[in-house]
Amino acid sequence: MEDTTTNKQISSPTTTVAALRLFFHDYFVDGYDTSILVSSTRFSKSERGYPGFSNRKGSGIGIPDSLPRVQGHGYRIHCRNIASMTSKPVRNQSFAMINCDDISYFKKILGERGVVLEEEKLDDANTDWMRKFKGSSKLMLQPRSTQEVSQILDYCNSRRLAVVPQGGNTGLVGGSVPVFDEVIINVSSMNNTISFDKDSGILVCEAGCILENLISFLDNEGYIMPLDLGAKGSCQIGGNVSTNAGACALFDTRTFLSGISGLEVVLANGTVLDMLGTLRKDNTGYDLKHLFIGSEGSLGIVTKVSILTPPKLSSVNLAFLACEDYTSCQKLLSEAKRKLGEILSAFEFLDINAMDLVLKHLDGLRNPLPSAKHNFYILIETTGSMESHDKEKLESFLLQSMENGLLNDGVLAQDVNQASSFWRIREGIPEALMKAGAVYKYDLSLPPEKMYNLVEEMRERLGTAANVVAYGHLGDGNLHLNISTRQYNDSILSKIEPFVYEWTSEQRGSISAEHGLGLMKANKIHYSKSAETVQLMAAIKKLLDPNGILNPYKVLPTSILSQSGVDEP
Amino acid sequence: MKIMVAIKRVIDYAVKIRVKPDKSGVETSNVKMSMNPFCEIALEEALRIKESGRASEVVAVSVGPSQCVDTLRTGLAMGADRAIHVEFPGTLYPLSIAKIFKALVDAEKPGLLLLGKQAIDDDCNQTGQMVAGLLKWPQGTFASKVVLDEENKVVTVDREVDGGLETLCLDLPAVITTDLRLNQPRYATLPNIMKAKSKVIKKLTPQDLKVEIKSDLEVIQVTEPPKRKAGVILSSVDELIDRLKNEARVI
């Protein structure tokens, strides 16, 4: 085999991987999720050595360009076992390629401004913000109305052109960028607020509205957005809905879902589904909007959203606290639920590794509790309507917890500025992780009492090879497990996966609490959902998008979709 | 030596200011109020001087409505030893405040009076200067560095002035007003919040201090700054030049 590979490598380097895939064919079909990568030799350039190799036709399975090069001389076969970074599927050949007629058609319906062909702009749209996933789309469309989205999809469906819906492109699982040459439908230009009812608090807006703009719009009206994210300055409401994005300060609403009172969605064939009802209660027939919340653009493109927003409460208090051990954090949470009751609006935790990382990598931040090091830090936020009452309630709860020994130390924000600097620590962790080097991110739902065991086990497995950083929404049992290394490294990855997924599955947890599945976890859905459930999802996908043009290769495993006939050429 | 620090309760720095519909002032009901950031810096400096062993006591004082107690409580939680609240529900202007401070200084006899250089609500930047005048004490305003020399009864103050720093040496007792870069104020920790609960806040009225509140100023109107007009996108450089020449008349 080595000889064959060597010969192949010399004679036709760019197809070596395809040949190897033939050898190992059985391993690639189902269950195994493997990629092969051949490095260049001094004498010839292999597939690996070509720029943008992962997008080359026939490359089979590749890995994103951003991965550091494989070290060493000569060729090397490079196998990965269940590597989420590398689980890139094959381009579905039943999809058509873009031609000049397509482009002139789109120009006709959208005008010159709505059709983007410039490489530079496409480069940004092809790459996710972590620079982990990269597609090779040659065309981005920027519709300005639902009608235009409908026309685009109608056309793409009839031409079998695959599309990827895109908003602010801040996703973490590669859901918002093309995998191959899918047409990017970017809804950023659809950014109008359509109506706001000052009595009911129902906001209707277009999908491309940036979250932060909505937050400040509502703030002026005396209402609050039931969603707040670190990425609020870039992310768009359509994407938030499509991914059912999670949030920091959402103790009572859990996920964004409960705040959405209606949607307008365009289906794959261009049909516009108006489900924009602005009623609080509506129990007629199936509640179809739920199909589109969190479906990551694989069932339809969200074009308008109506959101039920709660009135703004003036009194917000925030404490930054230190705990000795994880058990204390948990006890503190259950005490807080009991004693703070309705005013408790956020309960976030970060461990010492997360704290150190933020302080090291982000400028202008200071440790609110500099006198000693603590193993765990907690943020407790209360929101209510009576400043003095709420503050007193929180203060007496904290003082009592301190006397009980649950808390080691703590500070209470005395003004909004202090509060934002505390939040900045928690919200700055993803940014600090990016600056620290390579990072393997996992967003898991776990029973709160077992949550930190995973972190400790992971530290044991990895030793000094990586920095295991944990933070999350303790109130929701949501753990953000981040493994920070100098660079992406296979031996580390093999120690993390599938261990982390299996561990989560054993605890009946979810492998994606907030981030969705996207491309990164499409093949991992089995860890959280039963076979029957996944089959039904595939059947729904087939019903709504028979040609499979909407955000292909993502959310559901490609193998499942081809079984149910969606992917058949 | 005792240090007295003036503290003002203002609309929180991060809150968006709204003008009342009748243009009589800004909306303060149901709005988050906090300690003026410059006062926080003044208090922090006083606490640092005390912690370095060069002062024996820090007294926080505030003049205003009953809720000023909350702000003083924050000051106590930061580390002030005790507080004095001069309660007055109405509108106050810098000269009245300066007179009250003078009366408090006469009673308390501190060696140093620290104030923020200005309050972020009215931006008057007058109280420190006025009280120094009334007391006939030397003043160091806009301090970015304060070095106390107890033995020689002097304090050296770096002031941020246009084009550089000015260093003054003041005889004590003196008035110092603090600028932004003097220090970074500390947070109120839970143990200190707990301790603050047992600290004393003395209540006084202007009458107690024999200060008559009257104002020579009258606010006629408060209005919002004009809204910025939306920009326009032009199609060519020529059009831009044309607009700059004929419309904006800047070239």
Side-chain angles (χ1 to χ4, degrees):
Chain A
M1 214 206 80
E2 196 178 326
D3 288 343
T4 316
T5 313
T6 313
N7 290 338
K8 191 83 185 161
Q9 174 76 356
I10 293 164
S11 63
S12 173
T14 54
T15 57
T16 316
V17 171
L20 280 163
R21 284 183 62 237
L22 283 175
F23 280 119
F24 292 107
H25 181 261
D26 286 349
Y27 294 99
F28 291 101
V29 180
D30 223 349
Y32 287 83
D33 186 6
T34 313
S35 88
I36 288 179
L37 169 67
V38 180
S39 282
S40 303
T41 65
R42 267 177 296 163
F43 311 105
S44 72
K45 262 198 158 178
S46 77
E47 192 175 42
R48 176 69 183 87
Y50 279 87
F53 75 95
S54 57
N55 306 318
R56 286 175 75 87
K57 213 175 159 184
S59 71
I61 303 169
I63 62 166
D65 293 352
S66 57
L67 274 181
R69 280 172 179 272
V70 177
Q71 298 297 311
H73 293 293
Y75 64 88
R76 195 167 103 185
I77 302 171
H78 185 94
C79 291
R80 292 162 178 268
N81 180 29
I82 316 226
S84 59
M85 281 292 295
T86 65
S87 59
K88 195 161 184 169
V90 199
R91 185 183 185 279
N92 182 343
Q93 297 305 338
S94 72
F95 293 137
M97 311 281 264
I98 307 275
N99 61 35
C100 305
D101 293 347
D102 299 330
I103 290 172
S104 47
Y105 176 79
F106 290 130
K107 283 187 175 167
K108 205 174 80 195
I109 59 169
L110 300 175
E112 292 281 337
R113 228 202 270 175
V115 180
V116 178
L117 299 161
E118 293 92 338
E119 212 161 285
E120 210 170 290
K121 283 186 190 163
L122 284 171
D123 208 41
D124 283 342
N126 268 316
T127 320
D128 76 315
W129 76 277
M130 301 210 311
R131 311 205 78 76
K132 208 164 158 183
F133 303 93
K134 191 167 170 28
S136 55
S137 178
K138 301 276 179 285
L139 175 65
M140 175 161 75
L141 303 176
Q142 294 183 311
R144 279 182 297 270
S145 68
T146 304
Q147 199 46 45
E148 289 182 356
V149 176
S150 164
Q151 282 174 292
I152 293 170
L153 284 182
D154 183 19
Y155 181 83
C156 288
N157 193 42
S158 63
R159 275 273 294 125
R160 289 205 172 209
L161 285 169
V163 302
V164 53
Q166 189 175 75
N169 198 9
T170 59
L172 293 164
V173 289
S176 60
V177 288
V179 183
F180 300 103
D181 56 349
E182 298 93 282
V183 176
I184 302 167
I185 301 181
N186 188 301
V187 297
S188 303
S189 307
M190 298 173 63
N191 56 1
N192 294 313
T193 310
I194 295 161
S195 67
F196 180 69
D197 184 329
K198 287 191 184 198
D199 297 319
S200 64
I202 287 178
L203 170 77
V204 182
C205 64
E206 288 185 318
C209 291
I210 288 174
L211 181 61
E212 194 164 36
N213 297 349
L214 293 178
I215 292 174
S216 57
F217 169 80
L218 288 168
D219 190 63
N220 277 332
E221 301 287 341
Y223 283 82
I224 51 169
M225 190 72 187
L227 175 72
D228 196 355
L229 292 172
K232 62 189 161 202
S234 312
C235 66
Q236 297 169 7
I237 194 68
N240 296 147
V241 171
S242 298
T243 56
N244 194 11
C248 283
L250 271 186
F251 207 88
D252 47 353
T253 28
R254 305 285 157 173
T255 51
F256 187 34
L257 182 133
S258 49
I260 300 169
S261 64
L263 292 179
E264 180 191 77
V265 180
V266 181
L267 297 182
N269 61 8
T271 308
V272 179
L273 280 191
D274 180 355
M275 302 174 288
L276 267 179
T278 50
L279 305 168
R280 270 171 182 266
K281 289 187 171 178
D282 179 9
N283 228 348
T284 49
Y286 304 139
D287 195 349
L288 287 179
K289 66 172 188 286
H290 283 247
L291 266 183
F292 301 93
I293 300 170
S295 65
E296 304 180 46
S298 64
L299 300 178
I301 299 185
V302 173
T303 45
K304 289 192 186 100
V305 184
S306 80
I307 309 155
L308 184 62
T309 66
K312 183 166 70 174
L313 297 171
S314 56
S315 148
V316 178
N317 284 297
L318 184 68
F320 193 93
L321 310 160
C323 284
E324 182 62 40
D325 50 43
Y326 184 72
T327 323
S328 307
C329 299
Q330 255 189 279
K331 277 189 192 154
L332 192 70
L333 170 65
S334 74
E335 287 286 298
K337 280 183 183 165
R338 209 164 298 149
K339 303 225 165 95
L340 297 173
E342 77 292 348
I343 62 167
L344 179 62
S345 56
F347 195 105
E348 299 282 315
F349 91 101
L350 50 145
D351 65 5
I352 186 169
N353 299 45
M355 184 72 170
D356 286 345
L357 197 80
V358 167
L359 294 174
K360 186 173 165 199
H361 291 283
L362 296 188
D363 295 332
L365 281 186
R366 59 172 169 148
N367 187 350
L369 300 165
S371 54
K373 286 226 166 203
H374 303 280
N375 292 327
F376 292 90
Y377 295 92
I378 302 260
L379 274 158
I380 293 184
E381 189 195 65
T382 63
T383 307
S385 51
M386 273 182 55
E387 174 84 44
S388 52
H389 164 266
D390 295 354
K391 193 164 187 181
E392 207 177 295
K393 204 168 171 182
L394 178 62
E395 262 180 26
S396 69
F397 164 70
L398 293 176
L399 296 180
Q400 202 188 345
S401 307
M402 194 129 181
E403 276 164 18
N404 295 344
L406 287 182
L407 283 178
N408 275 5
D409 202 354
V411 286
L412 198 56
Q414 300 295 316
D415 56 42
V416 180
N417 222 7
Q418 292 187 2
S420 355
S421 65
F422 297 168
W423 270 124
R424 176 88 183 98
I425 293 172
R426 163 64 185 80
E427 290 181 337
I429 302 171
E431 192 187 332
L433 281 163
M434 293 288 291
K435 289 190 176 170
V439 57
Y440 300 91
K441 296 178 99 68
Y442 301 91
D443 156 43
L444 312 162
S445 258
L446 288 166
E449 69 277 9
K450 300 224 174 102
M451 203 152 111
Y452 207 72
N453 295 1
L454 174 61
V455 180
E456 281 162 350
E457 279 185 44
M458 196 53 91
R459 281 199 183 120
E460 235 164 75
R461 279 175 80 85
L462 293 170
T464 52
N467 183 15
V468 182
V469 172
Y471 63 98
H473 322 292
L474 200 56
D476 296 347
N478 184 186
L479 172 72
H480 292 290
L481 175 70
N482 288 264
I483 292 144
S484 170
T485 57
R486 201 170 279 212
Q487 52 194 5
Y488 292 110
N489 173 315
D490 297 325
S491 77
I492 287 178
L493 185 59
S494 66
K495 282 183 188 154
I496 306 171
E497 295 182 22
F499 174 78
V500 60
Y501 293 128
E502 285 168 1
W503 202 97
T504 308
S505 183
E506 262 167 44
Q507 307 296 334
R508 298 188 63 82
S510 168
I511 58 156
S512 190
E514 299 181 334
H515 296 169
L517 296 164
L519 176 63
M520 177 174 155
K521 297 179 188 170
N523 287 320
K524 313 289 187 296
I525 192 170
H526 293 293
Y527 287 110
S528 290
K529 292 279 154 60
S530 71
E532 294 78 6
T533 318
V534 178
Q535 283 296 347
L536 180 61
M537 288 183 190
I540 292 172
K541 166 80 178 167
K542 195 187 170 192
L543 177 74
L544 293 182
D545 180 16
N547 294 332
I549 60 159
L550 282 169
N551 220 2
Y553 322 108
K554 294 164 192 164
V555 189
L556 296 175
T558 326
S559 52
I560 288 279
L561 290 174
S562 39
Q563 277 166 26
S564 42
V566 177
D567 249 0
E568 295 299 305
Chain B
M1 188 183 80
K2 194 193 283 181
I3 302 177
M4 187 180 277
V5 185
I7 283 171
K8 185 171 183 185
R9 175 176 175 268
V10 296
I11 293 180
D12 192 283
Y13 165 76
V15 168
K16 194 171 174 278
I17 304 292
R18 256 176 259 263
V19 172
K20 283 184 191 165
D22 65 359
K23 297 187 178 176
S24 62
V26 297
E27 192 60 70
T28 53
S29 64
N30 222 0
V31 169
K32 168 93 179 160
M33 307 291 278
S34 302
M35 192 190 294
N36 178 35
F38 293 108
C39 300
E40 254 184 298
I41 294 168
L43 178 57
E44 175 67 33
E45 196 61 23
L47 295 172
R48 288 185 189 186
I49 293 171
K50 189 195 157 187
E51 281 160 1
S52 70
R54 277 168 290 177
S56 54
E57 193 184 29
V58 174
V59 185
V61 300
S62 189
V63 189
S66 58
Q67 299 94 318
C68 285
V69 171
D70 297 338
T71 316
L72 284 172
R73 202 56 83 186
T74 299
L76 294 174
M78 281 174 73
D81 298 292
R82 62 190 171 88
I84 300 170
H85 176 209
V86 181
E87 194 167 347
F88 186 79
T91 314
L92 288 157
Y93 293 100
L95 187 57
S96 309
I97 303 281
K99 285 176 183 167
I100 290 173
F101 285 161
K102 180 184 185 297
L104 286 171
V105 166
D106 289 343
E108 291 282 337
K109 305 205 173 359
L112 191 62
L113 174 61
L114 278 166
L115 306 93
K117 68 167 182 178
Q118 70 194 69
I120 59 163
D121 51 0
D122 54 24
D123 278 341
C124 280
N125 182 2
Q126 294 167 353
T127 309
Q129 292 86 330
M130 284 176 171
V131 74
L134 293 172
L135 287 165
K136 299 190 169 50
W137 284 7
Q139 58 178 301
T141 52
F142 307 95
S144 62
K145 191 179 172 194
V146 173
V147 181
L148 197 75
D149 181 351
E150 252 206 312
E151 246 170 62
N152 299 316
K153 289 268 176 202
V154 291
V155 59
T156 315
V157 175
D158 282 0
R159 305 181 65 229
E160 291 188 352
V161 293
D162 284 351
L165 285 180
E166 181 182 60
T167 306
L168 297 178
C169 187
L170 313 173
D171 289 330
L172 290 173
V175 174
I176 295 173
T177 75
T178 56
D179 212 334
L180 198 64
R181 273 166 291 275
L182 179 58
N183 61 44
Q184 197 175 26
R186 67 195 62 192
Y187 297 121
T189 64
L190 291 177
N192 285 340
I193 291 172
M194 198 154 24
K195 277 184 217 151
K197 290 197 183 297
S198 57
K199 290 177 182 171
V200 182
I201 300 179
K202 189 171 157 190
K203 271 207 186 281
L204 293 172
T205 61
Q207 289 81 23
D208 295 336
L209 297 166
K210 301 192 173 48
V211 176
E212 192 197 344
I213 306 287
K214 62 170 172 78
S215 176
D216 304 326
L217 290 174
E218 187 196 347
V219 173
I220 298 166
Q221 199 184 57
V222 176
T223 52
E224 273 183 59
K227 284 215 164 58
R228 187 180 162 274
K229 280 187 204 147
V232 284
I233 294 172
L234 305 176
S235 53
S236 69
V237 177
D238 291 340
E239 199 185 342
L240 173 68
I241 292 169
D242 176 63
R243 295 279 196 106
L244 288 174
K245 260 189 189 150
N246 300 320
E247 216 168 280
R249 294 179 195 284
V250 289
I251 53 172

XYZ file of all heavy atoms in Angstrom, chain B residues 139-145 157-161 164-168:
129
model
N -5.640 76.000 46.609
C -6.336 74.951 45.873
C -5.484 74.353 44.763
O -4.721 75.053 44.101
C -7.635 75.492 45.287
C -7.448 76.684 44.368
C -8.767 77.147 43.764
O -9.431 76.390 43.085
N -9.126 78.397 44.031
N -5.623 73.038 44.603
C -4.987 72.337 43.475
C -6.090 71.635 42.704
O -6.639 70.644 43.164
N -6.448 72.203 41.539
C -7.564 71.622 40.791
C -7.046 70.710 39.679
O -5.892 70.794 39.278
C -8.423 72.731 40.171
O -7.568 73.610 39.441
C -9.131 73.542 41.257
N -7.914 69.845 39.184
C -7.585 68.883 38.112
C -6.354 68.046 38.466
O -5.457 67.869 37.651
C -7.342 69.598 36.779
C -8.452 70.503 36.372
C -8.414 71.858 36.656
C -9.558 69.992 35.723
C -9.455 72.690 36.293
C -10.598 70.822 35.358
C -10.562 72.178 35.651
N -6.333 67.528 39.675
C -5.142 66.801 40.118
C -5.026 65.454 39.420
O -5.987 64.698 39.333
C -5.212 66.586 41.627
N -3.823 65.178 38.894
C -3.582 63.854 38.342
C -2.563 63.100 39.191
O -2.274 61.941 38.950
C -3.093 63.940 36.896
O -1.873 64.617 36.843
N -1.991 63.789 40.184
C -1.105 63.119 41.127
C -1.088 63.929 42.422
O -1.024 65.160 42.378
C 0.310 63.039 40.543
C 1.224 62.127 41.333
C 2.601 62.076 40.688
C 3.563 61.329 41.584
N 4.948 61.559 41.154
N 0.847 68.667 44.099
C -0.225 68.265 43.193
C 0.212 68.463 41.753
O 0.665 69.552 41.382
C -1.500 69.101 43.467
C -2.590 68.778 42.459
C -2.004 68.872 44.890
N 0.119 67.406 40.949
C 0.319 67.555 39.498
C -1.028 67.878 38.877
O -2.014 67.176 39.118
C 0.847 66.260 38.887
C 2.324 66.074 39.147
O 2.915 66.963 39.792
O 2.878 65.046 38.721
N -1.053 68.923 38.066
C -2.304 69.308 37.406
C -2.174 69.091 35.912
O -1.150 69.404 35.314
C -2.596 70.799 37.632
C -2.622 71.227 39.071
C -2.945 72.708 39.137
N -4.280 72.965 38.641
C -4.586 73.901 37.735
N -3.631 74.649 37.213
N -5.833 74.086 37.358
N -3.230 68.587 35.325
C -3.215 68.424 33.878
C -3.678 69.733 33.255
O -4.820 70.135 33.385
C -4.137 67.277 33.472
C -3.566 65.943 33.916
C -4.329 64.757 33.373
O -5.391 64.947 32.766
O -3.836 63.638 33.568
N -2.746 70.413 32.585
C -3.099 71.662 31.919
C -2.824 71.516 30.434
O -2.208 70.547 30.012
C -2.273 72.849 32.484
C -2.655 73.134 33.925
C -0.782 72.580 32.371
N 0.611 70.061 28.911
C 1.525 69.381 29.829
C 1.038 69.332 31.249
O -0.163 69.392 31.522
N 1.984 69.207 32.164
C 1.650 69.097 33.576
C 2.188 70.306 34.332
O 3.268 70.814 34.036
C 2.309 67.849 34.177
C 1.705 66.490 33.835
C 2.485 65.393 34.522
C 0.236 66.421 34.246
N 1.418 70.748 35.307
C 1.878 71.818 36.173
C 1.979 71.218 37.572
O 1.063 70.532 38.004
C 0.843 72.937 36.153
C 1.222 74.134 37.000
C 0.123 75.205 36.986
O -1.003 74.877 37.409
O 0.407 76.324 36.566
N 3.093 71.444 38.246
C 3.231 70.901 39.593
C 3.147 72.035 40.603
O 3.872 73.025 40.500
C 4.567 70.159 39.736
O 4.640 69.183 38.697
C 4.656 69.457 41.078
N 2.221 71.878 41.547
C 2.028 72.902 42.576
C 2.396 72.327 43.931
O 2.228 71.130 44.169
C 0.562 73.325 42.649
C -0.093 73.980 41.449
C -1.562 74.255 41.780
C 0.614 75.266 41.088
